[in-house]
């Protein structure tokens, strides 16, 4: 490896993309192409970066398997950042195995972190946790260690374990400080804000207030009967009754919990669960059937009693009952939650992340687009969706120079 390649690689390791480009910008040999690709990725030109890395991977000879594997890992990271979830994960696993077999433990660990982050993005927590447990982070340099701790914090946050998440974020901040890469420090700081942001809304006796993640963790660990509208389950401590596939039952349980200890009239339950404006005998018969099913499902947690006007929910053992709801409830909220990360997503990637059909996601995006809540750029398969800018102002007024009337 010549001195210019070494100097460019060292510049990239500390986040100096322009310094690296000054050394290899005019070269087209495979190592220079790979470094130019990584530099372009750090500068934000992901399309150009992917082209350069593919060219470098093709140019490396059959005896340079490690160099080719490093290019594949870099491509996988760009695909993850650009939310291209269709990128072949088997290629990343093959590259990681090659790096580990040839003794490049640092880049093999980086590939493993990318696999964990992808699994987190598509909600496969068990698989992400298994991969993370197999990785020893001790030999990692500060930048890779920060990435590992961010992945560990991501798993802990989704598991509602705030103290391990806080500890992992503190370790990530220390590693980012040692790495002295400003972009990495900003990424860690943004991740830490999740712990201070509102995570859910508590409805308790007719009042509502927002909860942080650690308050949600404490609530779910208590003996309180919680109607969890974030996951569509009813829970009290370790007892959990899943109702995600029984939407009518969950709607009835939530309506009863919001009014507890008072009862809810039959007409109100019919309107809420079945959207029935004018109840007839068939509606009332169906309500009796669904209340019977809900009574059987919640038998270990609470009792549903009939009153002269309707029904009331009475938790066993004098437990308190509350409703835990998302901070904002609206249609297609899960799509908005993913798009709120500020990245541009394809409809295919959103379908993979939410385990929905592409057609369902496309209809939801069209509805959100018509309401002005999301916007897109590009056409055909290149179309990407994102949230609109928070502040909208006429940017032409900020351009220098006199106005036409002057």
């Amino acid at each position: 490896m010549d001195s210019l390649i070494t100097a460019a690689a060292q510049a990239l390791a500390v986040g100096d993309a322009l310094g690296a480009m000054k050394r290899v910008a005019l070269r087209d040999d495979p190592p220079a192409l790979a470094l130019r690709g990584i530099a372009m990725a750090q500068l934000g030109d992901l399309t150009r970066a992917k082209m350069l890395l593919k060219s470098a991977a093709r140019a490396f000879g059959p005896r340079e398997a490690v160099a080719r594997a490093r290019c594949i890992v870099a491509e996988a990271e760009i695909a993850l950042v650009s939310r291209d979830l269709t990128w072949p994960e088997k290629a990343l696993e093959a590259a990681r195995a090659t790096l580990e077999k040839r003794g490049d433990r640092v880049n093999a660990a980086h590939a493993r972190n990318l696999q964990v982050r992808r699994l987190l993005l598509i909600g496969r927590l068990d698989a992400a946790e298994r991969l993370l447990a197999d990785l020893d982070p001790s030999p990692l340099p500060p930048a890779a260690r920060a990435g590992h701790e961010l992945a560990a914090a991501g798993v802990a946050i989704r598991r509602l374990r705030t103290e391990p998440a806080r500890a992992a974020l503190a370790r990530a901040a220390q590693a980012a400080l040692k790495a002295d890469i400003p972009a990495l420090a900003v990424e860690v700081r943004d991740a830490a804000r999740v712990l201070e942001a509102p995570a859910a809304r508590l409805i308790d006796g007719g009042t509502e207030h927002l909860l942080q993640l650690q308050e949600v963790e404490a609530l779910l660990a208590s003996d309180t009967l919680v109607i969890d509208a974030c996951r569509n389950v009813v829970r009290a401590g370790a007892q959990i009754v899943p109702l995600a596939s029984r939407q009518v039952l969950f709607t009835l349980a939530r309506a009863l919990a919001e009014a507890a200890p008072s009862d809810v009239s039959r007409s109100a339950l019919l309107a809420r669960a079945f959207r029935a404006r004018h109840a007839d005998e068939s509606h009332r018969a169906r309500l009796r059937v669904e209340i019977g099913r809900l009574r059987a499902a919640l038998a270990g947690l609470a009792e549903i009693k009939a009153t002269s006007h309707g029904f009331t929910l009475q938790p066993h053992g004098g437990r308190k009952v509350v409703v835990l709801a998302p901070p904002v409830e609206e249609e297609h909220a899960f799509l908005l939650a993913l798009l709120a990360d500020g990245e541009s997503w394809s409809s295919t990637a959103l379908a993979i992340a939410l385990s929905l059909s592409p057609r369902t996601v496309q209809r939801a995006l069209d509805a959100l687009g018509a309401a002005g809540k999301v916007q897109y750029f590009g056409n055909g398969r290149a179309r990407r969706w994102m949230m609109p800018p928070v502040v909208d102002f006429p940017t032409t007024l900020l351009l220098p120079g006199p106005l036409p009337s002057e």
Side-chain angles (χ1 to χ4, degrees):
M1 186 180 295
D2 60 52
S3 59
L4 281 178
I5 292 293
T6 303
Q10 290 173 343
L12 284 176
V14 296
D16 183 10
L18 291 177
M21 287 295 287
K22 285 178 184 174
R23 292 171 175 88
V24 296
L26 300 179
R27 294 177 50 168
D28 288 328
D29 52 294
L33 286 174
L35 292 175
R36 284 169 57 193
I38 297 171
M40 294 305 291
Q42 290 188 5
L43 293 171
D45 190 346
L46 301 183
T47 304
R48 180 67 177 158
K50 280 194 288 187
M51 292 173 56
L52 288 167
L53 286 167
K54 284 186 181 209
S55 300
R58 284 196 298 267
F60 280 119
R63 295 184 178 179
E64 298 168 299
V66 172
R68 196 182 308 112
R70 289 173 181 166
C71 290
I72 292 172
V73 172
E75 280 186 64
E77 185 168 16
I78 292 172
L80 182 68
V81 171
S82 57
R83 299 300 184 255
D84 180 9
L85 299 183
T86 58
W87 199 86
E89 55 183 320
K90 289 183 180 177
L92 178 59
E93 173 56 24
R96 189 203 63 78
T98 300
L99 293 170
E100 193 167 22
K101 185 178 177 182
R102 301 297 182 94
D104 189 351
R105 296 185 60 191
V106 173
N107 283 308
H110 183 57
R112 181 66 87 193
N113 282 336
L114 293 179
Q115 291 176 309
V116 173
R117 289 173 59 189
R118 185 183 184 281
L119 290 171
L120 281 176
L121 203 57
I122 59 177
R124 293 172 57 187
L125 286 186
D126 292 338
E129 212 163 16
R130 280 197 299 273
L131 290 185
L132 206 58
D134 293 338
L135 179 61
D136 176 16
S138 54
L140 298 180
R145 180 62 184 267
H148 172 79
E149 298 297 347
L150 282 175
V155 172
I157 286 171
R158 284 161 179 78
R159 292 289 189 197
L160 281 181
R161 298 194 292 253
T162 53
E163 285 309 315
R166 207 179 294 280
L169 288 169
R171 292 193 297 272
Q174 290 175 355
L177 188 63
K178 286 182 184 175
D180 195 22
I181 301 177
L184 186 58
V186 170
E187 185 178 354
V188 174
R189 186 192 62 197
D190 290 345
R193 287 178 178 167
V194 173
L195 295 178
E196 312 303 328
R201 185 163 45 95
L202 183 70
I203 304 173
D204 180 9
T207 63
E208 297 184 12
H209 63 275
L210 297 173
L211 298 181
Q212 292 181 344
L213 205 62
Q214 60 183 5
E215 295 172 307
V216 174
E217 181 185 12
L219 174 66
L220 298 185
S222 71
D223 197 35
T224 304
L225 180 63
V226 180
I227 313 300
D228 187 350
C230 300
R231 295 175 178 79
N232 283 10
V233 299
V234 179
R235 58 198 307 162
Q239 287 184 274
I240 299 176
V241 178
L243 296 177
S245 59
R246 308 173 77 178
Q247 189 58 44
V248 171
L249 297 192
F250 184 80
T251 303
L252 291 172
R254 178 172 176 173
L256 293 170
E258 287 178 354
S262 303
D263 61 352
V264 184
S265 67
R266 290 175 176 79
S267 59
L269 290 173
L270 286 169
R272 188 135 175 202
F274 310 128
R275 300 180 182 177
R277 295 182 181 178
H278 306 288
D280 54 23
E281 187 53 38
S282 65
H283 286 112
R284 285 189 283 273
R286 188 181 174 192
L287 177 62
R288 284 195 295 273
V289 171
E290 298 296 349
I291 286 290
R293 289 172 177 166
L294 181 62
R295 187 179 283 131
L298 302 185
L301 297 174
E303 186 176 0
I304 299 175
K305 290 187 175 179
T307 65
S308 57
H309 300 288
F311 297 93
T312 180
L313 179 69
Q314 298 181 357
H316 292 326
R319 287 176 174 143
K320 186 177 180 183
V321 57
V322 298
V323 175
L324 188 69
V328 177
E329 289 188 272
E330 64 174 275
E331 199 174 9
H332 313 309
F334 291 111
L335 272 178
L336 294 174
L338 283 176
L339 293 170
D341 68 356
E343 303 294 341
S344 55
W345 291 69
S346 67
S347 59
T348 304
L350 289 168
I352 293 173
L354 293 173
S355 299
L356 297 174
S357 72
R359 185 60 193 147
T360 300
V361 170
Q362 190 58 55
R363 281 198 299 267
L365 287 171
D366 290 340
L368 290 171
K373 295 178 180 177
V374 299
Q375 63 184 24
Y376 67 85
F377 62 89
N379 293 304
R381 298 180 64 181
R383 176 168 292 185
R384 294 292 182 273
W385 294 84
M386 59 189 300
M387 298 283 278
V390 176
V391 180
D392 195 11
F393 55 87
T395 52
T396 52
L397 295 179
L398 301 180
L399 297 176
L403 296 173
S405 58
E406 294 177 351

